Amino acid sequence: MLRLQVLICVLLSLSVPAGGAQERPLRICVSERDYPPLTFPDRDGPVQSLIRRAVAQAGGHVEYSALPWRRCLHQVLKGELDGVATVAATEEHLVQLALPLHEGAPDPGKAVGQVVAVAFRRRDSPVKWDGMRFSGLRSPIIYEAGIAAFTERLAQLGQSGIGSANSPEQLMRMLLAGRAELALGLDPRVSELLSRSEFSALERLPVNFMQSTVYLAFNKDFYARESERLERLWSEIERLRVNQEWQKQHPEFNSAFPAGSRTVPPNSFSN
């Protein structure tokens, strides 16, 4: 009987990979709201497909959670989730999270997408944006909660802002109610909403507010434990991004991230 038990233990040990137990799934969060063309809460957008494929190529799999954006970030920072799919390389995020770096700076070659931010107002508003400064503005700019890139850029401009809205729809209703003069949001979602009759009294300003490169980022403690695994994952993302076969299989990916390179700045401002 003892020999049989020893034999069973030996056989079980042979079934375990050399590196130990199988890697558990990567737990990644995305916004609970649609953010075309990047992510969707109920299906894989181009960014989710890219990450899923890269994780599979590296020998693992991923589990997505769709959460309110602030809760998503909070759970990653607390270590309740491993990573977040689309964050800009702001000073705050570089301190709080682990992002792919090249010579100490964010590596755009390993990014997962780009986002374009626009400003919008009531059609009868005198507020303007020329790419460098606002004019005719007498109150704080409003935007969705948790978008650190907006907070950082407005601070650079010396412009006050309030990031407390739950959705772009709420921003638009606040403008219609006269509770603010100008709002910031991400395109193409903003343009899609402005095409609705409900928001016909609003318009986007012609000059984009900013453009940001976004990354798959991880909890710093998790990265410290799994750095080799995560560096392989970021390298696989970089490889897939320029792979023509991948691009043909996923034509929607080009809308999430036009062709880029390491020379593309992680954050840029339209003018």
Side-chain angles (χ1 to χ4, degrees):
M1 184 66 177
L2 180 60
R3 289 182 179 178
L4 178 60
Q5 291 175 337
V6 171
L7 178 61
I8 291 173
C9 289
V10 171
L11 291 174
L12 288 174
S13 68
L14 291 175
S15 67
V16 178
Q22 288 185 342
E23 293 178 341
R24 65 166 176 78
L26 282 177
R27 302 167 301 171
I28 307 297
C29 66
V30 299
S31 173
E32 67 173 352
R33 299 187 180 277
D34 290 359
Y35 276 103
L38 301 180
T39 63
F40 299 89
D42 56 352
R43 59 185 172 89
D44 279 7
V47 168
Q48 290 147 294
S49 295
L50 173 66
I51 294 171
R52 192 182 297 280
R53 175 66 176 273
V55 171
Q57 291 291 101
H61 60 287
V62 61
E63 293 179 354
Y64 288 115
S65 298
L67 299 170
W69 188 242
R70 279 190 294 188
R71 190 191 305 171
C72 171
L73 292 172
H74 177 74
Q75 290 195 11
V76 174
L77 292 175
K78 295 286 286 184
E80 297 168 3
L81 293 171
D82 301 323
V84 51
T86 53
V87 296
T90 63
E91 292 182 7
E92 177 183 5
H93 288 155
L94 287 169
V95 170
Q96 295 177 335
L97 299 165
L99 282 76
L101 304 177
H102 177 67
E103 297 181 350
D107 186 350
K110 295 176 181 175
V112 295
Q114 287 181 338
V115 294
V116 174
V118 297
F120 50 102
R121 65 180 187 185
R122 291 180 60 99
R123 290 184 182 274
D124 58 4
S125 170
V127 176
K128 296 180 180 179
W129 163 249
D130 64 5
M132 297 296 293
R133 61 187 60 83
F134 295 98
S135 60
L137 188 61
R138 298 167 298 175
S139 60
I141 296 172
I142 58 174
Y143 55 97
E144 285 182 77
I147 303 184
F150 290 173
T151 304
E152 182 174 281
R153 180 54 176 155
L154 289 175
Q156 292 169 352
L157 293 168
Q159 176 64 53
S160 60
I162 300 175
S164 61
N166 295 319
S167 68
E169 292 94 330
Q170 184 181 9
L171 291 172
M172 293 181 182
R173 294 185 181 112
M174 290 172 70
L175 291 177
L176 291 174
R179 295 172 58 190
E181 297 174 281
L182 191 71
L184 302 174
L186 301 179
D187 237 9
R189 182 60 175 163
V190 167
S191 293
E192 291 174 357
L193 290 172
L194 291 177
S195 67
R196 297 181 184 178
S197 59
E198 176 186 1
F199 302 122
S200 61
L202 304 177
E203 65 180 358
R204 57 167 286 185
L205 298 181
V207 178
N208 292 340
F209 178 63
M210 66 182 294
Q211 178 173 298
S212 292
T213 301
V214 293
Y215 300 84
L216 170 62
F218 292 97
N219 171 278
K220 281 204 163 183
D221 290 337
F222 180 68
Y223 175 80
R225 298 191 304 270
E226 302 278 353
S227 59
E228 184 176 345
R229 176 188 181 189
L230 301 182
E231 290 292 345
R232 288 199 310 268
L233 172 56
W234 282 325
S235 294
E236 186 60 27
I237 287 173
E238 182 177 37
R239 187 190 69 81
L240 283 173
R241 269 188 46 197
V242 297
N243 183 279
Q244 292 185 354
E245 180 181 352
W246 163 262
Q247 293 176 1
K248 288 179 181 178
Q249 293 174 352
H250 299 273
E252 74 281 4
F253 178 68
N254 292 327
S255 64
F257 202 150
S261 68
R262 279 199 174 102
T263 61
V264 178
N267 291 293
S268 59
F269 312 109
S270 301
N271 50 41

